[in-house]
Amino acid sequence: MTPFLHKTDGDASMREGEVALASDPADLPGDAHVIFIGHVHSPWTNRDDCPKNMNRARERDGGDALVEIDTEFRPGLAGLEAASHVIILTWLNLTPRNLIVQKPRHAPHPKGVFSIRSPARPNPVGLHIARLVALNHAAGRLTLDAIDVLDGTPVIDVKPYYASIDSFPDAVTERHGK
Amino acid sequence: MTPFLHKTDGDASMREGEVALASDPADLPGDAHVIFIGHVHSPWTNRDDCPKNMNRARERDGGDALVEIDTEFRPGLAGLEAASHVIILTWLNLTPRNLIVQKPRHAPHPKGVFSIRSPARPNPVGLHIARLVALNHAAGRLTLDAIDVLDGTPVIDVKPYYASIDSFPDAVTERHGK
């Protein structure tokens, strides 16, 4: 253990083996600030029911999977209709920011937060890659094939997805011998 | 033109057809704050010389392409060695945040910021997908195959790349008829 950490196994909100940062990022002065540019509309209204990743969201016939961009930012959508897929960055503001080592429910051992896609992160930025089904510029509305966050989740960025730089079909997360 | 926008063709720092937000996000109170968890080490020390995307960075034999995570966050790297590819989120703090419509140097027409990967964005989060060449947990150092941002760029998140949810090799950005 380094002096920067304390174990908090005794904390009822943490699972065995989890480790918290000594200083909660939520309480630190920020190095920079984000502004919310819009919000997600999704069928998911409670965390237990919310799909844990985009493929789980696709498997469920949930209804709306929309991003609505606020009025002043809508001119920024010009040209996005040419993209088949988009990257949505969200701000997952309901999660703790101090869990540097976490014990996912179905994992045998605790894992570092940067080795998993947990929404509980020092900077809780969610990354979601979706098919862009429709785009209504006037309404600032992107219709997606699915979305895996709660209704009302703030959006901080939208980017076009480029297969040439973003697609690595052979990437693995269980490298031999690791 | 909506009342939220003003054209700024007369501004010497803007190109023809570019549009600025009426309120610069840099000057607004933030909706949330980010903390820097580390920094990039790259061979690129001035913007004109910096590769514009990850493939351009890969084409150049530039030398170091590292992310160094600050001491207190290093336990968060546990388990990341199993990932062949990682997603790095950076904070591109040298760019204007108010250019909602931009004229890329080699594009024939202005484009909405959300349809391009420009570093100048309302929330200047850079997204970089790289091969993880080596990981030194003690030093908090990720060696990447390449990186396309300036030396010293702050890092706000690291995530494992999952081909199952992040790879869309057939994605296009020039959809027919768009």
Side-chain angles (χ1 to χ4, degrees):
Chain A
M1 301 302 292
T2 81
F4 298 96
L5 305 173
H6 50 223
K7 291 194 71 163
T8 52
D9 289 356
D11 184 325
S13 69
M14 299 181 70
R15 303 196 183 104
E16 188 173 341
E18 293 196 328
V19 178
L21 291 164
S23 299
D24 188 334
D27 299 328
L28 292 174
D31 291 308
H33 70 271
V34 296
I35 55 164
F36 299 158
I37 64 167
H39 290 82
V40 168
H41 296 279
S42 84
W44 326 118
T45 54
N46 76 72
R47 291 172 70 174
D48 289 340
D49 186 49
C50 187
K52 294 291 178 280
N53 67 50
M54 286 296 286
N55 283 342
R56 293 280 173 285
R58 288 185 179 99
E59 289 161 10
R60 291 172 62 177
D61 184 13
D64 282 352
L66 305 174
V67 166
E68 186 172 332
I69 300 297
D70 294 343
T71 310
E72 60 268 40
F73 299 106
R74 291 178 191 168
L77 297 171
L80 186 61
E81 64 280 357
S84 64
H85 292 70
V86 292
I87 300 169
I88 308 294
L89 297 184
T90 57
W91 189 262
L92 303 168
N93 54 353
L94 299 179
T95 51
R97 295 176 66 166
N98 65 335
L99 298 180
I100 195 71
V101 175
Q102 301 178 28
K103 170 73 174 60
R105 210 173 292 253
H106 300 293
H109 305 294
K111 299 188 173 194
V113 64
F114 305 127
S115 78
I116 56 178
R117 293 286 278 265
S118 166
R121 322 182 67 77
N123 293 298
V125 177
L127 167 64
H128 322 269
I129 300 170
R131 190 163 60 81
L132 181 60
V133 175
L135 176 57
N136 181 325
H137 288 89
R141 189 176 303 133
L142 292 73
T143 305
L144 309 176
D145 64 337
I147 192 71
D148 58 352
V149 294
L150 289 175
D151 188 48
T153 299
V155 172
I156 63 168
D157 202 7
V158 175
K159 300 177 191 288
Y161 181 93
Y162 285 91
S164 57
I165 54 173
D166 300 320
S167 180
F168 293 87
D170 299 329
V172 296
T173 50
E174 300 290 341
R175 282 208 280 189
H176 187 65
K178 303 283 181 173
Chain B
M1 301 302 291
T2 80
F4 298 95
L5 305 173
H6 50 223
K7 293 193 70 162
T8 51
D9 290 357
D11 184 325
S13 69
M14 299 181 70
R15 303 195 183 106
E16 188 174 341
E18 294 197 327
V19 178
L21 291 164
S23 299
D24 188 334
D27 300 329
L28 292 174
D31 292 307
H33 70 270
V34 296
I35 55 164
F36 299 159
I37 64 166
H39 290 82
V40 169
H41 296 278
S42 84
W44 325 118
T45 54
N46 76 72
R47 292 171 69 174
D48 289 341
D49 186 49
C50 187
K52 294 291 177 279
N53 67 51
M54 287 294 287
N55 283 341
R56 293 279 173 284
R58 288 186 179 98
E59 290 161 10
R60 291 172 62 177
D61 184 12
D64 282 351
L66 305 175
V67 166
E68 187 173 331
I69 299 297
D70 295 343
T71 310
E72 61 269 41
F73 300 105
R74 290 178 191 169
L77 297 172
L80 186 60
E81 64 280 357
S84 65
H85 292 70
V86 292
I87 301 169
I88 308 294
L89 298 184
T90 57
W91 189 261
L92 304 167
N93 53 353
L94 299 178
T95 51
R97 295 176 66 166
N98 66 334
L99 297 181
I100 195 72
V101 175
Q102 301 179 27
K103 170 73 175 62
R105 212 174 290 255
H106 300 293
H109 306 295
K111 298 188 174 194
V113 65
F114 304 127
S115 78
I116 57 178
R117 293 286 277 264
S118 166
R121 322 182 67 77
N123 293 301
V125 177
L127 167 65
H128 323 269
I129 300 170
R131 190 163 61 80
L132 181 59
V133 175
L135 176 57
N136 181 325
H137 289 90
R141 189 176 302 133
L142 291 74
T143 306
L144 310 176
D145 65 336
I147 191 69
D148 59 352
V149 294
L150 290 175
D151 188 48
T153 298
V155 172
I156 63 167
D157 202 6
V158 175
K159 300 177 191 288
Y161 182 93
Y162 285 91
S164 57
I165 53 172
D166 299 321
S167 180
F168 293 87
D170 299 329
V172 296
T173 50
E174 300 289 342
R175 282 208 280 191
H176 186 65
K178 303 285 179 170

